[in-house]
Amino acid sequence: MENNFIAFESNGSVAWTTRLNHTCHEDLSPVRDATGKIYVVAENQVVVISPPSNRTSQTFAEDFFNDEQSSNEIIGLAISFWGSSLFINIKMLGLFAFMIDGTSLWSVGPVLHQSGYPQGCKSNETSCYFASTPVVDQCEGSVYITNSEGQVYSFSALKPYINWIQDFSTIDKLITVTSGNNGRVYLAFPRRAILMALDATNGYILWEETIGPLRTQDCSPVVDSSGWVSIGSLDGFVYVVSPTGVIKKHLEETAPNAVVQVNPILDCSGRAVYVAQLRTKSKKEHNIGGSTYTSALQPVKLVFSKLLPATGKVYFTAEYPGHISSLWSDSYLRHFLLDARVLLAFVSSANIGNPFPCKSSYEKLMWGCSHAKPNTLKIAFLGNEKKTLIFLGFQFCVVIVLAGCVWFCCTFWNKQKLKKQGLGGFLEKRRSLHLRKKMCDRMISDLEKKMDEEGVEEEQVMDKLGETIAERETIEEKLSTTYSLGRDTSGRSNKVVDKDEKGYTWSQRRDQSMSMFHTVSATSSSSEKNEPLVEEEESQDEWRSFPLWYDVGDKGSAVKGKAPVNDMAESSSRLTDSTGFTNPLFEEPQEVVDEYFEKELKNSGSCLKRRRTLS
């Protein structure tokens, strides 16, 4: 019978058997897919067994995965009910995913470089490995596994993408994982006697309870279809925890001088659990390094019980050896040495003392998944939180800059002048205004210098200076309103200005204050003296008559509406030796600029009154 795989009926009779060429791993349970095929770990390979069916009465065994190149140990095996995927954990190599037809899907190690930085096994990357059997969450489509450093991983079953990683090394590095298939993951820390529930979506801790001492190996809870968690303890009790984290203790009457060494098994209905208590003559508990150890002396018998975790009601109790032994006394099981784990499996498969109707695996899974409550999406920082915050801050700044650019473009293209003239005409007009403003600044500087010289007719120079200042103010107003790069704002357009009187005040270098006022021109009629002048926004045609850098004709006087006067030739001749201004964007010959300055000085047509106050 060596290297044979045997399937039993619930009464202990042999259903079928098949020959394997390798020795099975006795600590790893076989798994079965939706088609009925069984996958077994035998030495360093996985064997798939096709049991007898309606089509054939023969069994077939063939290699599914064979690691011939290395002698690494296969630690765990799990299968996905929905995706028909098989997950194999190989020590020091990683987790491998296969389709049931043998096609390789993906593989991943304990150290991953996701989101730009390494994750997992931070303290010891060289000797860190996946240390547990993979556990599949059939409802969430996730795979859970632990590493040797006390971290729990949640992977997507479809690709090697990390859902979350939680580090529990501060509690203990030995962890067993159980999927509730109800939106929760349950962790057991055997050496610390701690039971914990996590949110399957983000790995957050939902509740944590301290229970009695547990076995250090193969100690995991069982979850019924209502979300109640049951786990046996070496103190003889069965601890159950409600979905909200309320803890209870059951089997208190049989707990004295008893220990629970094997995990409870869920019955076929998904509502009750079978438990095996080992009664002894005496037991002792020891506290060593914060952990509780139990020693059982002289085992007497096994007590099997079936109870409902939610209420603690016991539906069935039997002893072994006892009357339950007669169920398998004449069966093929008498040739084997049976332990509590094997006997509990036969008791549960025989469905002894079950008042509830059995349900299929699909029905139990659907019932459990229906209890999964959707959670609000939360952001969990994985790895370097500081780098993540810096990256989020950089993205926020980029969004602000882009929003500012969009606002500027929307504002700029809504300008009225831009809509009428087009982008080329608008920019050309803006450039000409800047050139005109620089010419006015140059003329004002030259005129102020001439006023400091002796023998200069100050009245004529001040007349031209006042007009130039007024012209510059008009240009600045247009550059800041209708021809600005921002939003159109209301300036001084359409305001009423008294043509008879307008003043300008500035300070000269000779510590004197001077005020200038426009009065009625000598050539103006009496009807024009009291008639207000309305300055309106210039149209596109009027701006074309505005003098540019290279336009040195007498158009400036035409725009101002004043008659040219030729009695300024003497003073204008003093300005012909001025130095020209060179624009980096548009450069003109010096003779053209001097000619323009000379003609501008001939166009003053107003009489000025001056008041000088010496300080």
Side-chain angles (χ1 to χ4, degrees):
M1 299 301 293
E2 187 179 356
N3 295 337
N4 283 348
F5 186 87
I6 305 173
F8 289 89
E9 300 288 352
S10 60
N11 58 5
S13 61
V14 177
W16 52 266
T17 182
T18 186
R19 177 73 179 178
L20 299 179
N21 297 324
H22 307 277
T23 303
C24 295
H25 199 307
E26 60 181 13
D27 292 331
L28 297 178
S29 301
V31 295
R32 189 177 65 174
D33 62 15
T35 62
K37 292 183 179 181
I38 301 172
Y39 300 83
V40 183
V41 177
E43 297 178 1
N44 62 340
Q45 64 183 359
V46 177
V47 179
V48 55
I49 302 174
S50 301
S53 61
N54 297 330
R55 297 181 180 179
T56 177
S57 59
Q58 297 181 352
T59 58
F60 301 94
E62 56 184 346
D63 292 345
F64 180 85
F65 173 81
N66 191 350
D67 188 13
E68 298 178 350
Q69 299 179 355
S70 65
S71 58
N72 296 82
E73 177 187 2
I74 296 178
I75 299 177
L77 185 70
I79 196 165
S80 172
F81 183 81
W82 300 114
S84 299
S85 304
L86 189 69
F87 303 93
I88 305 174
N89 179 20
I90 305 177
K91 187 175 181 179
M92 303 304 297
L93 290 183
L95 181 64
F96 296 82
F98 297 88
M99 295 292 292
I100 58 174
D101 60 359
T103 305
S104 177
L105 291 177
W106 51 265
S107 63
V108 67
V111 181
L112 300 99
H113 294 270
Q114 185 171 306
S115 303
Y117 50 88
Q119 302 182 46
C121 299
K122 294 182 179 179
S123 59
N124 187 9
E125 295 185 4
T126 56
S127 60
C128 180
Y129 61 92
F130 288 135
S132 69
T133 298
V135 178
V136 180
D137 192 324
Q138 310 291 351
C139 297
E140 300 290 333
S142 303
V143 180
Y144 309 113
I145 196 170
T146 65
N147 65 15
S148 56
E149 299 300 319
Q151 293 177 316
V152 179
Y153 299 71
S154 173
F155 291 101
S156 171
L158 301 178
K159 56 184 178 180
Y161 178 82
I162 299 178
N163 298 324
W164 48 264
I165 298 179
Q166 287 286 13
D167 190 354
F168 297 100
S169 58
T170 56
I171 301 176
D172 197 8
K173 294 183 179 181
L174 180 59
I175 308 171
T176 59
V177 183
T178 301
S179 173
N181 292 320
N182 56 3
R184 298 183 179 185
V185 186
Y186 301 95
L187 308 182
F189 299 84
R191 290 188 292 216
R192 296 298 179 184
I194 295 176
L195 188 61
M196 186 182 297
L198 307 181
D199 191 320
T201 305
N202 46 43
Y204 292 166
I205 298 176
L206 300 177
W207 51 258
E208 177 182 343
E209 297 293 343
T210 301
I211 57 179
L214 304 174
R215 290 183 59 189
T216 56
Q217 295 179 355
D218 190 26
C219 181
S220 58
V222 62
V223 185
D224 64 17
S225 56
S226 299
W228 286 79
V229 185
S230 304
I231 189 170
S233 172
L234 294 179
D235 59 8
F237 295 99
V238 174
Y239 290 84
V240 297
V241 185
S242 70
T244 58
V246 179
I247 189 170
K248 297 180 180 181
K249 292 192 296 185
H250 294 329
L251 301 182
E252 297 182 3
E253 296 180 358
T254 56
N257 295 330
V259 295
V260 180
Q261 293 181 308
V262 297
N263 300 324
I265 297 179
L266 199 64
D267 74 338
C268 63
S269 67
R271 299 180 58 186
V273 294
Y274 287 95
V275 181
Q277 289 177 306
L278 176 63
R279 290 188 181 179
T280 62
K281 287 187 176 181
S282 64
K283 66 178 181 180
K284 294 182 180 180
E285 294 184 354
H286 311 275
N287 238 328
I288 302 175
S291 300
T292 302
Y293 297 89
T294 302
S295 299
L297 303 177
Q298 298 181 3
V300 177
K301 56 184 174 182
L302 282 171
V303 179
F304 299 101
S305 302
K306 180 175 183 177
L307 60 91
L308 191 65
T311 61
K313 183 178 179 180
V314 178
Y315 292 94
F316 162 78
T317 300
E319 296 179 352
Y320 182 90
H323 70 277
I324 199 174
S325 304
S326 61
L327 296 176
W328 311 296
S329 59
D330 297 331
S331 67
Y332 199 75
L333 289 177
R334 68 180 184 272
H335 299 289
F336 296 90
L337 182 62
L338 304 178
D339 60 5
R341 183 179 58 176
V342 175
L343 288 173
L344 183 61
F346 274 98
V347 170
S348 62
S349 63
N351 199 24
I352 301 174
N354 187 12
F356 308 108
C358 291
K359 295 182 180 179
S360 64
S361 299
Y362 178 81
E363 291 175 330
K364 288 186 287 187
L365 186 59
M366 287 295 96
W367 178 258
C369 293
S370 65
H371 286 76
K373 298 180 180 179
N375 296 281
T376 306
L377 180 62
K378 299 178 181 179
I379 299 177
F381 292 103
L382 305 177
N384 195 323
E385 183 175 345
K386 182 178 180 181
K387 291 183 179 179
T388 305
L389 292 175
I390 293 175
F391 178 71
L392 292 177
F394 172 75
Q395 286 187 325
F396 178 76
C397 294
V398 170
V399 171
I400 294 298
V401 172
L402 292 177
C405 294
V406 172
W407 177 85
F408 171 78
C409 292
C410 294
T411 303
F412 180 72
W413 288 102
N414 280 331
K415 297 183 69 64
Q416 297 297 327
K417 291 291 184 180
L418 185 62
K419 293 179 180 180
K420 295 179 181 179
Q421 302 175 6
L423 181 61
F426 179 85
L427 295 178
E428 176 65 22
K429 191 67 64 178
R430 180 178 168 82
R431 186 183 67 86
S432 65
L433 286 174
H434 278 288
L435 296 177
R436 180 70 178 180
K437 180 176 177 295
K438 291 179 180 179
M439 289 191 296
C440 292
D441 293 338
R442 175 65 185 280
M443 292 177 63
I444 291 173
S445 177
D446 291 342
L447 290 173
E448 288 180 348
K449 291 180 181 179
K450 293 300 180 181
M451 291 184 62
D452 294 339
E453 299 178 0
E454 297 181 357
V456 178
E457 297 181 5
E458 295 184 357
E459 292 185 358
Q460 297 177 354
V461 176
M462 285 192 300
D463 182 25
K464 183 60 180 177
L465 185 60
E467 292 182 356
T468 307
I469 292 175
E471 183 178 344
R472 184 184 63 179
E473 290 180 353
T474 302
I475 295 173
E476 289 177 346
E477 180 183 356
K478 293 184 180 296
L479 287 173
S480 62
T481 55
T482 56
Y483 285 93
S484 67
L485 295 180
R487 182 181 300 175
D488 285 337
T489 57
S490 59
R492 296 188 302 172
S493 58
N494 295 332
K495 72 175 184 178
V496 178
V497 180
D498 192 351
K499 183 180 178 182
D500 297 338
E501 186 174 289
K502 182 168 64 174
Y504 308 95
T505 304
W506 69 92
S507 297
Q508 287 186 327
R509 286 176 298 219
R510 293 182 179 178
D511 299 331
Q512 60 182 356
S513 175
M514 183 172 294
S515 298
M516 299 179 61
F517 300 92
H518 283 290
T519 58
V520 181
S521 175
T523 59
S524 302
S525 61
S526 58
S527 60
E528 294 174 343
K529 182 179 296 186
N530 298 323
E531 182 180 355
L533 176 64
V534 179
E535 288 186 354
E536 297 182 353
E537 184 72 27
E538 293 180 354
S539 63
Q540 185 173 354
D541 295 336
E542 291 174 339
W543 272 103
R544 297 193 182 279
S545 64
F546 199 83
L548 300 176
W549 181 273
Y550 48 84
D551 190 357
V552 296
D554 200 20
K555 296 180 181 179
S557 300
V559 173
K560 293 293 181 177
K562 299 179 180 180
V565 180
N566 297 324
D567 55 355
M568 298 291 292
E570 182 179 356
S571 60
S572 64
S573 62
R574 300 189 185 101
L575 301 178
T576 57
D577 58 346
S578 303
T579 304
F581 171 80
T582 301
N583 192 320
L585 299 177
F586 191 87
E587 187 173 341
E588 286 291 340
Q590 181 65 34
E591 294 79 3
V592 178
V593 177
D594 293 341
E595 181 181 357
Y596 173 72
F597 287 159
E598 181 179 354
K599 290 188 178 182
E600 283 295 317
L601 291 176
K602 294 179 182 181
N603 295 331
S604 57
S606 301
C607 297
L608 303 174
K609 291 184 179 181
R610 176 172 60 88
R611 183 183 62 184
R612 177 178 301 172
T613 303
L614 296 176
S615 57

